[in-house]
Amino acid sequence: MSAADSTTSAWAAPRTLIGRDRECARLSELVTHVRGGGSRSVVVSGEAGIGKTALLDFVAHHANGCTVVRVDGVESEMELAYAGLHQLCAPLLDLLDLIPEPQRDAIGTAFGLTGGRAPDPFLVGLAVLSLLSEASSARPVICLVDDVQWLDETTKAALAFVARRLREDAVGIVFGERDGDDDTALPGVPRLVVEGLPDVSARALLASTLTGPLDERVRERIVAETRGNPLALLQVPFGLKSDEVAGGFGLSGLGALTGRIEQSFRRRLAPMPAATRRLLVVAAAEPGQDAVLIWRAAARLGVGPDDAEPASADGFASFAGLVRFCHPLARSTVYKAAPPDERRAAHQALADATDPAVDPERRAWHRAQAASGLDEEVAAELERTAMLAQARGGCPASAAFLERAAELTPDPALRAERAVAAATAKYEAGAPERALRLLAIAEAGTPDEPLGAQAQLVRARIMSRLRPGDGAPLLAAAARLEPIDHALARETYRDAFYASHIAGRLAEHRMEAVAAATRRSSRSADPIENPFDRILQGVAAVVAEGYRAGAPMVLDGLASLSPTDLASAQAPRWLPFTCLVSFAVWDDDSARKLSTLTIDYARGNGVLSMLHTALMLGAGCRLFEGDIAGAEALSDECELIGEATTIPKPPYGVLMVAAWKGREVDVERVIAEATPFAVERGEGQWLTATGWAEAVLYNGLGRYDRALEAAARGGEHASELALANWALVELVEAAVRSGQPERAIDANRRLSEMAEACGTDWIVGVAARSRALLADGDPAESDYRLAIDRLARTPLRSELARARLLYGEWLRRERRRVDAREQLRAAHDVFDEIGADAFAERTRRELAATGETVHRRAPGAQVELTRQEAQIARLASEGQTNPEIATQLFVSPRTVEWHLRKVFGKLDIASRRELGEALKKADAVAAV
């Protein structure tokens, strides 16, 4: 790797490339755009030898005035965590002190510069984004990333993240990726597909390589069979015999294109001295291109500097500075052409030359490649190294080390143990198929019962990922684990429960079966070990036997969660589940505290998959509290996580916010777009959410027939808990208002049972509100007053406003207009303030019916901020710093600064101290 002002290639690219006007024009435009202060990325894709590397060299050659950094993916380095990213960032590490502390810690841990918790790959990606942004403040930065298909997985994930999140930074990234490899490695990045040269250009390129005449028939055959592949056109003439060149009578079939190119490289290798070939094998086996290490290893094989001359004179490889081959296929050809014993000797020499204190992972990997058979010493070193990789967040690398350790282990029992560990790591690294193969190895070794149970658990988790909603494998694994590891068994029951809840009505193994199995797992002779266990046992009882049986246990468990429990090592694994359950038992206080704690933990540790769930739960809290703007901000952050990480999730937050705002078009659009995806994923919870959200929407709009049908869909499966419970509340209101009170009877009964079992102000309030709708006279008024009294004790402003609205409507129908106005005014003030437009309009109509005129709020001078400007302005007004905002929104601090300058201009203010007041004065912050 190198950084330079213009070119980083060992061979400078020409000013123009034959037949590549279209590609060169697009890449030149990218460089011009970056020089102008913008950002851009592109994937240059095509078959081997099509000219991707030459196009990257072209970019480097024309990037005058820019800092150019280059990364070359190498096949033998794919298992080393963050190896490619280290190439990219090495020249930028002096800027580490300028990026936010969480990012600095993450990248320091990933690169082994500091110790600490294994970082989330996306937090590492954000750190790289910030480093590039800081570097671009001095001069534009161009990153050239060649052979993406051979980068390690951690690097690919980080660079894909960076490419998608580039905003207002003078940074350009050009990727080179071979066709036919993983074309999903860089989702969302524009592609430039490179095809074979036109015949005219192919003939010109071929002619440029020849030193003598070429028979026309031979030329046309070469042009036709190489299909315009530039590398093939340049390499095929090497080694052609005189009769083949002159008349073509001896020209054999060129064969497969890649094979023909490799054959041409083999021909160039053949006449080189044996010592030169040994040197090239060492260089091919060491992807780091570190000349010092390569020469040190070569010396152990009796090779000296003079032996490099034949390869350098041929142009096959350069040993000036970094060691580089003329083309990636030249490197792979050298490695594949070498006999196995020579490859092993090269790896052993490299292992011996590598300092184990400085680079233990590289040394262990070379030792593994040098092993010719079973070797416990090497296997043990790989196992130790896997732990180091895991600590740095290199889960794919850890999995690769453990897999190789298992393969080299001579003892069957130990091999099975390592195979299970490798399978676990492969699963966590997102390679379930490879994990299943390793489990087969482990099971063939007749593992003991604890190891067998662990293997079954890994298999169950894989099956759960491959077949969402199928909880049977997890339940079977949990039952087997009970006599071995009760704590792990309980966590497995929890996971089965959570999976079944997400799958909902689409689950193959229904929630009731999971709850029954969880209940059976409780051993009456043993006390329940901790609050998390009590919560799990209680919610299983709720599903299996009803709220009276389980809600008190859940509430007791939630109440007994101490700061020590919430700071324990096991807490992060329980937090999302526990927060979800708190909604199920109508404990708004616990829901608020746990969602905030989960968000803070996930943000602080960069656990974006957990953060996505926590934000959705937090958005639910804020909606009921009447903070629609806050819920929308969390929802937007959810969508940013989806964009940044490509974590596929239906847009629950967007749906809920649109429903409470009364935006019918938006609700219908979101449901139409997301439902097929959710069903395909087996996420039945989404269907419940859409039923509840539509019911809220249409109750607000006063279209009660539609609200009733939607609520009935949302609440038909009681075991789906929180969302289904909320749908029951909407159902009672919609049924009564649509003149079908009989359809509300069962829902009202269920809500009353929950109120009796849970006793929280939230459920007591909404249950009383629902009963009042079905009552007359004094009982109705008594329940309305009870609802208002209990809900007023909570921060749930939306729920309280709806209780006042319903009470006001009842009072008006009772011809008590003065009393009605009091309730309706209070409700309207809240709905109008929080932006619940449909409910505000419904309340305004009711007030008008009492004889009081309430004018719709005049929109005033609307300030048009973009979605990102609005997010940044809100966070800045809350006192967050630019680095804090950047971390939360997955952009660079410079992007935050750029957007704030635009916000200040639009709001006509000079500092962030004025933001809060300016945003209040602006009647609406409109997202464009």
Side-chain angles (χ1 to χ4, degrees):
M1 196 287 313
S2 59
D5 294 341
S6 56
T7 182
T8 62
S9 176
W11 294 271
R15 292 286 176 181
T16 57
L17 297 171
I18 295 174
R20 295 299 186 208
D21 293 348
R22 175 183 69 91
E23 293 85 353
C24 290
R26 181 166 172 183
L27 294 173
S28 294
E29 194 275 332
L30 179 147
V31 173
T32 300
H33 183 78
V34 172
R35 280 206 199 97
S39 62
R40 193 160 292 179
S41 57
V42 66
V43 178
V44 178
S45 64
E47 66 182 2
I50 203 66
K52 303 182 294 296
T53 300
L55 286 167
L56 267 62
D57 287 342
F58 171 86
V59 173
H61 191 86
H62 288 74
N64 297 317
C66 300
T67 296
V68 178
V69 291
R70 188 156 192 158
V71 179
D72 293 307
V74 182
E75 192 170 8
S76 57
E77 199 172 29
M78 292 175 66
E79 312 296 357
L80 298 179
Y82 295 113
L85 210 60
H86 201 280
Q87 290 187 54
L88 178 73
C89 295
L92 310 177
L93 292 180
D94 58 343
L95 302 174
L96 270 180
D97 289 342
L98 301 180
I99 70 175
E101 184 177 358
Q103 301 173 26
R104 184 165 66 246
D105 292 343
I107 202 167
T109 303
F111 289 171
L113 303 175
T114 59
R117 187 192 302 268
D120 186 284
F122 297 110
L123 189 58
V124 175
L126 189 55
V128 176
L129 176 65
S130 294
L131 278 176
L132 291 172
S133 175
E134 290 297 336
S136 72
S137 65
R139 61 193 306 169
V141 177
I142 298 289
C143 304
L144 303 176
V145 186
D146 206 358
D147 285 313
V148 170
Q149 72 279 358
W150 287 338
L151 289 174
D152 60 279
E153 292 299 323
T154 47
T155 292
K156 277 194 280 192
L159 290 180
F161 176 97
V162 171
R164 289 192 299 269
R165 301 308 299 165
L166 287 172
R167 290 294 184 268
E168 310 308 326
D169 303 294
V171 178
I173 308 180
V174 183
F175 299 94
E177 182 181 45
R178 182 182 297 181
D179 270 354
D181 291 288
D182 182 10
D183 58 0
T184 63
L186 299 165
V189 182
R191 304 185 80 81
L192 172 60
V193 179
V194 184
E195 298 176 340
L197 296 172
D199 285 355
V200 172
S201 299
R203 293 186 190 102
L205 181 61
L206 179 61
S208 71
T209 69
L210 299 172
T211 56
L214 182 66
D215 185 89
E216 183 178 354
R217 288 171 298 179
V218 175
R219 181 191 65 194
E220 292 306 309
R221 185 170 179 184
I222 292 174
V223 168
E225 295 198 25
T226 57
R227 304 189 308 278
N229 183 289
L231 185 60
L233 288 163
L234 291 169
Q235 292 299 319
V236 161
F238 277 97
L240 287 181
K241 300 181 178 64
S242 58
D243 61 334
E244 293 175 328
V245 173
F249 299 109
L251 186 64
S252 57
L254 295 180
L257 187 58
T258 301
R260 183 67 186 187
I261 296 171
E262 290 180 347
Q263 183 182 355
S264 69
F265 283 129
R266 286 174 184 260
R267 285 177 174 172
R268 293 171 66 178
L269 274 173
M272 294 184 191
T276 302
R277 293 197 301 271
R278 282 200 301 276
L279 173 61
L280 290 173
V281 173
V282 172
E286 171 42 50
Q289 305 174 3
D290 182 348
V292 174
L293 176 61
I294 288 171
W295 284 117
R296 198 159 56 222
R300 294 173 181 271
L301 299 176
V303 176
D306 292 344
D307 296 313
E309 180 57 30
S312 299
D314 181 82
F316 200 93
S318 168
F319 292 86
L322 298 175
V323 177
R324 296 197 62 193
F325 287 83
C326 62
H327 192 275
L329 278 175
R331 176 193 291 273
S332 60
T333 299
V334 166
Y335 192 79
K336 288 190 287 187
D341 59 334
E342 287 190 15
R343 291 200 296 266
R344 289 194 295 271
H347 281 294
Q348 186 60 57
L350 286 163
D352 293 340
T354 302
D355 186 344
V358 174
D359 201 345
E361 291 174 45
R362 190 177 299 274
R363 181 178 185 275
W365 190 248
H366 278 308
R367 288 197 70 194
Q369 299 301 98
S372 58
L374 301 178
D375 190 320
E376 173 56 30
E377 182 185 348
V378 174
E381 183 175 352
L382 284 167
E383 186 176 36
R384 291 191 299 271
T385 307
M387 301 306 105
L388 292 174
Q390 185 70 48
R392 296 200 295 113
C395 194
S398 175
F401 289 140
L402 287 169
E403 182 177 20
R404 183 65 173 144
E407 292 170 351
L408 294 176
T409 302
D411 178 72
L414 187 54
R415 183 189 305 121
E417 181 180 332
R418 286 171 174 162
V420 171
T424 303
K426 285 288 183 185
Y427 162 74
E428 292 173 351
E433 292 80 8
R434 294 284 294 277
L436 289 173
R437 185 182 71 81
L438 285 160
L439 288 175
I441 294 174
E443 289 159 353
T446 60
D448 58 22
E449 180 57 16
L451 189 60
Q454 179 67 29
Q456 184 172 346
L457 174 59
V458 177
R459 187 179 294 279
R461 287 174 174 168
I462 294 169
M463 292 300 102
S464 177
R465 176 177 291 184
L466 296 177
R467 297 199 302 267
D470 183 3
L474 283 169
L475 288 178
R480 187 174 179 183
L481 281 165
E482 277 195 56
I484 301 166
D485 188 334
H486 187 61
L488 184 56
R490 300 295 286 171
E491 291 193 11
T492 307
Y493 280 119
R494 176 206 64 206
D495 292 344
F497 199 99
Y498 197 83
S500 293
H501 180 269
I502 298 298
R505 64 195 68 187
L506 300 179
E508 295 180 23
H509 214 69
R510 298 300 297 274
M511 181 80 82
E512 291 82 356
V514 179
T518 305
R519 291 277 282 162
R520 287 194 300 271
S521 76
S522 177
R523 296 175 295 182
S524 57
D526 295 335
I528 295 178
E529 297 172 2
N530 56 55
F532 295 119
D533 268 0
R534 278 201 294 281
I535 293 166
L536 174 63
Q537 195 65 22
V539 76
V542 166
V543 173
E545 302 177 36
Y547 268 81
R548 289 189 182 92
M553 189 184 300
V554 175
L555 289 161
D556 178 64
L558 289 168
S560 63
L561 283 170
S562 68
T564 301
D565 294 320
L566 295 173
S568 65
Q570 66 173 331
R573 301 192 296 273
W574 283 92
L575 280 174
F577 172 82
T578 306
C579 184
L580 175 69
V581 169
S582 65
F583 280 111
V585 294
W586 303 87
D587 185 350
D588 62 287
D589 185 56
S590 291
R592 186 181 316 106
K593 290 177 181 176
L594 289 168
S595 65
T596 301
L597 182 63
T598 310
I599 289 170
D600 290 345
Y601 174 86
R603 277 187 184 149
N605 292 278
V607 188
L608 298 192
S609 56
M610 179 190 292
L611 179 56
H612 195 283
T613 300
L615 291 169
M616 288 190 291
L617 294 169
C621 284
R622 283 159 177 75
L623 285 173
F624 286 116
E625 291 170 1
D627 183 9
I628 294 180
E632 187 168 25
L634 297 183
S635 170
D636 285 344
E637 192 174 345
C638 274
E639 297 307 296
L640 282 174
I641 292 174
E643 293 171 11
T645 66
T646 67
I647 295 174
K649 285 285 185 181
Y652 289 92
V654 175
L655 173 70
M656 294 189 298
V657 168
W660 275 93
K661 282 187 168 184
R663 306 289 171 83
E664 183 179 10
V665 172
D666 291 341
V667 170
E668 290 181 346
R669 174 184 55 79
V670 169
I671 291 175
E673 291 176 355
T675 298
F677 163 73
V679 171
E680 182 182 359
R681 280 174 51 86
E683 196 156 331
Q685 178 184 244
W686 171 255
L687 302 179
T688 306
T690 60
W692 169 65
E694 284 189 287
V696 170
L697 170 72
Y698 291 118
N699 272 333
L701 293 171
R703 290 157 62 180
Y704 302 113
D705 288 340
R706 291 200 65 175
L708 177 58
E709 298 310 315
R713 291 197 314 273
E716 63 183 328
H717 296 282
S719 63
E720 293 179 345
L721 301 177
L723 285 166
N725 293 343
W726 302 342
L728 295 179
V729 180
E730 304 300 328
L731 189 151
V732 173
E733 182 174 335
V736 172
R737 287 288 183 259
S738 64
Q740 304 176 68
E742 68 282 357
R743 294 186 62 180
I745 294 173
D746 183 62
N748 184 62
R749 176 190 59 78
R750 288 163 60 185
L751 289 169
S752 294
E753 288 178 359
M754 292 179 206
E756 181 181 344
C758 300
T760 67
D761 288 325
W762 185 9
I763 181 55
V764 170
V766 296
R769 189 177 83 197
S770 299
R771 280 198 310 273
L773 282 163
L774 288 163
D776 295 308
D778 290 343
E781 182 159 21
S782 176
D783 275 330
Y784 279 129
R785 288 187 173 279
L786 174 62
I788 291 170
D789 176 64
R790 297 299 289 266
L791 290 171
R793 302 178 190 179
T794 75
L796 307 177
R797 298 174 70 210
S798 298
E799 295 281 38
L800 176 60
R802 290 188 65 179
R804 291 189 183 279
L805 167 60
L806 291 172
Y807 185 30
E809 290 174 336
W810 182 84
L811 288 167
R812 184 183 71 78
R813 287 163 177 75
E814 292 291 308
R815 302 183 184 279
R816 295 164 57 183
R817 292 189 175 186
V818 174
D819 293 337
R821 287 171 189 159
E822 179 185 354
Q823 299 298 328
L824 292 171
R825 281 193 210 107
H828 183 270
D829 287 348
V830 172
F831 291 138
D832 193 48
E833 176 192 341
I834 69 176
D837 295 338
F839 282 106
E841 177 62 18
R842 174 178 156 185
T843 312
R844 190 193 66 79
R845 291 195 302 268
E846 283 293 320
L847 276 166
T850 69
E852 180 168 314
T853 301
V854 179
H855 297 290
R856 294 183 178 89
R857 185 173 50 168
Q862 193 174 57
V863 178
E864 290 191 349
L865 300 182
T866 67
R867 170 188 168 195
Q868 191 157 69
E869 287 169 353
Q871 289 175 307
I872 290 171
R874 179 185 61 81
L875 294 172
S877 72
E878 294 173 357
Q880 293 200 35
T881 65
N882 286 5
E884 289 170 341
I885 296 170
T887 298
Q888 187 165 331
L889 299 186
F890 311 108
V891 294
S892 71
R894 285 171 53 78
T895 294
V896 173
E897 181 183 354
W898 186 85
H899 279 300
L900 275 177
R901 286 199 299 269
K902 294 183 67 178
V903 169
F904 289 170
K906 289 181 178 182
L907 296 178
D908 194 25
I909 60 176
S911 73
R912 58 204 304 145
R913 289 194 302 272
E914 304 172 72
L915 265 175
E917 190 61 32
L919 291 175
K920 288 179 183 177
K921 287 180 180 178
D923 184 68
V925 179
V928 176

